[in-house]
């Protein structure tokens, strides 16, 4: 479905701020040695709404294609995510009085990582459509394995009652019909309840050139301005907001029914901070120029290495790697392999749109290529010492925001 008007406010005049070409869906990976045949791809265009300041993809791809039942993502994988949820728990329970009978509902609960923090002291319930919900159930977290919608809300209300806390982390940008979802959240929320949402944040995306987080799973890129607009239009009030480090820069927002909670100073402060970056059209148009320059700088860096006949392996195959590799035009002549941790379902497949094989991480230490490009560059500081410790002797390439070589 082509996005012809803003998904939040309905404005039909959307500005084009970036076009990364036609990209294959990030989670459809071909098996190694399968002969290449036709490959579906979708335009990756970022649009900007001057009315509510939302950035959004220009095309909504059928969720059946981008979120297959076997959707492989697990939320417990990185340290930064685990720490973030532990911190969310601490912050939330210090701000809101939460008793043992109060219900905490997590939308898009995945393997139960977030709720595992709440489960000992409170009633918890996960909602996730993916198979991975079974892992949460095994961990003792009640989980409804279904989509979050009006029917699910009715079911939760009759079986569990209304929720004191509703969380939605890293899913609020993925779901279609965001106005409907917001209404459903309000419907499920107790009168004095609080809704906490975390999403990719447009401010660091623009500041650190994270065009690689643009792919078809992410329909929207929020700022506090656009979240506030969305939430207020449904009777919510934003009561607290802050920037958090997950996914290379996210935003956490607390919202409640208007007038039920004290509004923290953090809201006005963050609005002020992001204003010049996310509300000025000229700045957003500059973003495109910076993305292009960064691509060409990465080319120049790769050219020097390949002229010397050196090998480059990629490290990590997160979704964002597919956007970077396809947009920059990296092929198997430039990057021989991408290594992934043992047991990853991605091992034995090709990076979408390429013939770059994803292989077991041990290959990096056996083959010792001269360079390893960190495709999860946003956690480079966490990754580099780990790879050194495991025995990698070469240099690191950090592709964004400023392409550079690093030697620890
Ligand atoms: Zn809008």
């Amino acid at each position: 479905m082509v996005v012809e008007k803003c998904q939040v406010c309905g404005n039909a005049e959307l500005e084009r701020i970036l076009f990364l070409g036609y990209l294959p869906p990030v989670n459809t990976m071909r098996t190694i040695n399968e002969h290449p045949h036709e490959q579906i791809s979708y335009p990756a265009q970022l649009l900007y709404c001057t009315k509510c300041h939302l950035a959004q993809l220009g095309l909504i791809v059928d969720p059946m294609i981008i979120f297959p039942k076997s959707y492989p993502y697990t939320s417990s994988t990185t340290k930064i995510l685990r720490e973030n949820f532990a911190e969310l728990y601490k912050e939330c329970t210090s701000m809101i009085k939460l008793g043992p009978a109060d219900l905490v509902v997590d939308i898009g609960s995945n393997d139960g990582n977030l709720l595992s923090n709440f489960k000992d002291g409170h009633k918890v319930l996960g909602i996730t459509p993916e198979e991975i919900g079974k892992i949460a159930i095994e961990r003792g977290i009640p989980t409804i394995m279904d989509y979050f919608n009006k029917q699910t809300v009715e079911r939760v209300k009759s079986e569990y009652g209304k929720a004191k806390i509703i969380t939605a982390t890293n899913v609020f940008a993925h779901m279609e019909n965001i106005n409907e979802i917001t209404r459903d959240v309000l419907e499920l929320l107790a009168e004095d309840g609080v809704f906490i949402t975390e999403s990719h944040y447009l401010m660091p995306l623009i500041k650190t050139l994270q065009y690689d987080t643009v792919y078809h799973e992410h329909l929207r890129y929020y700022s506090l301005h656009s979240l506030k607009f969305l939430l207020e239009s449904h009777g919510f009030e934003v009561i607290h907001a802050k920037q958090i480090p997950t996914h290379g820069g996210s935003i956490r927002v607390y919202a409640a029914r208007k007038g039920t909670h004290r509004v923290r100073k953090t809201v006005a402060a963050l609005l002020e901070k992001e204003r010049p970056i996310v509300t000025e059209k000229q700045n957003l148009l500059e973003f495109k120029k910076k993305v292009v320059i960064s691509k060409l700088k990465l080319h120049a860096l790769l050219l020097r290495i390949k002229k010397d006949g050196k090998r480059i392996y990629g490290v990590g195959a997160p979704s964002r790697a597919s956007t970077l590799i396809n947009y920059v035009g990296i092929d198997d002549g430039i990057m021989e392999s991408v290594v992934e941790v043992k047991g990853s379902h991605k091992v034995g497949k090709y990076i979408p749109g390429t013939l770059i094989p994803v292989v077991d991480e041990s290959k990096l230490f056996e083959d010792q290529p001269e360079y390893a490009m960190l495709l999860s560059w946003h956690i480079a500081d966490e990754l580099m010492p780990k790879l050194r410790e495991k025995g990698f002797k070469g240099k690191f390439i950090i592709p964004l925001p400023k392409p550079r070589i690093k030697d620890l």
Side-chain angles (χ1 to χ4, degrees), residues 91-132:
E91 179 183 70
C92 162
T93 46
S94 75
M95 276 177 65
I96 303 148
K97 246 192 154 155
L98 205 56
D102 287 325
L103 177 66
V104 181
V105 171
D106 187 28
I107 303 169
S109 54
N110 214 276
D111 61 355
N113 193 9
L114 187 156
L115 288 177
S116 64
N117 293 284
F118 287 88
K119 86 176 169 73
D120 293 335
H122 317 282
K123 265 166 62 187
V124 297
L125 177 67
I127 301 172
T128 196
E130 294 106 17
E131 289 291 312
I132 195 157

Side-chain angles (χ1 to χ4, degrees), residues 6-11 14 49-54 56 229:
C6 176
Q7 296 168 66
V8 164
C9 76
N11 177 11
L14 300 175
C49 174
T50 47
K51 193 178 154 203
C52 74
H53 307 296
L54 179 75
Q56 55 203 308
F229 187 102

Side-chain angles (χ1 to χ4, degrees), residues 323-344:
T323 296
L324 184 119
I325 284 172
N326 281 282
Y327 171 66
V328 175
I330 295 174
D331 62 21
D332 56 311
I334 299 171
M335 184 180 279
E336 290 172 37
S337 317
V338 168
V339 302
E340 252 288 345
V341 287
K342 201 177 241 7
S344 163

Side-chain angles (χ1 to χ4, degrees), residues 288-394:
K288 180 180 181 176
K289 281 186 206 159
K290 289 181 187 161
V291 168
V292 169
I293 296 295
S294 124
K295 169 175 172 169
L296 295 175
K297 279 188 176 158
L298 184 55
H299 278 176
L301 183 151
L302 296 173
L303 176 64
R304 284 199 304 275
I305 295 174
K306 295 318 282 189
K307 265 185 158 173
D308 289 346
K310 306 285 196 244
R311 291 162 302 160
I312 303 171
Y313 282 22
V315 175
S319 299
R320 65 196 302 160
S322 178
T323 296
L324 184 119
I325 284 172
N326 281 282
Y327 171 66
V328 175
I330 295 174
D331 62 21
D332 56 311
I334 299 171
M335 184 180 279
E336 290 172 37
S337 317
V338 168
V339 302
E340 252 288 345
V341 287
K342 201 177 241 7
S344 163
H345 74 284
K346 293 180 180 178
V347 171
K349 310 271 177 61
Y350 288 123
I351 293 286
T354 74
L355 295 179
I356 305 173
V358 180
V359 299
D360 190 282
E361 194 187 54
S362 58
K363 285 283 278 178
L364 183 73
F365 315 116
E366 281 162 28
D367 298 355
Q368 294 290 349
E370 290 80 5
Y371 292 90
M373 192 194 289
L374 302 178
L375 297 165
S376 296
W377 59 272
H378 59 296
I379 48 167
D381 293 339
E382 182 183 334
L383 285 176
M384 288 187 292
K386 261 194 202 158
L387 292 165
R388 267 287 177 273
E389 204 176 291
K390 288 181 174 172
F392 175 62
K393 298 189 180 76

Side-chain angles (χ1 to χ4, degrees), residues 24-93:
V26 293
N27 275 308
T28 51
M29 300 174 79
R30 297 259 162 84
T31 307
I32 292 177
N33 289 330
E34 190 183 328
H35 285 291
H37 48 92
E38 71 275 13
Q39 165 77 65
I40 297 172
S41 59
Y42 301 100
Q45 177 169 239
L46 198 59
L47 303 174
Y48 174 70
C49 174
T50 47
K51 193 178 154 203
C52 74
H53 307 296
L54 179 75
Q56 55 203 308
L57 266 197
L59 187 82
I60 299 176
V61 180
D62 184 349
M64 301 292 276
I65 295 170
I66 44 178
F67 301 109
K69 272 264 175 206
S70 56
Y71 187 67
Y73 184 71
T74 60
S75 65
S76 300
T77 39
T78 72
K79 187 169 157 245
I80 223 170
L81 278 176
R82 283 193 302 273
E83 286 174 357
N84 177 59
F85 290 146
E87 193 267 337
L88 182 150
Y89 172 72
K90 239 175 105 182
E91 179 183 70
C92 162
T93 46

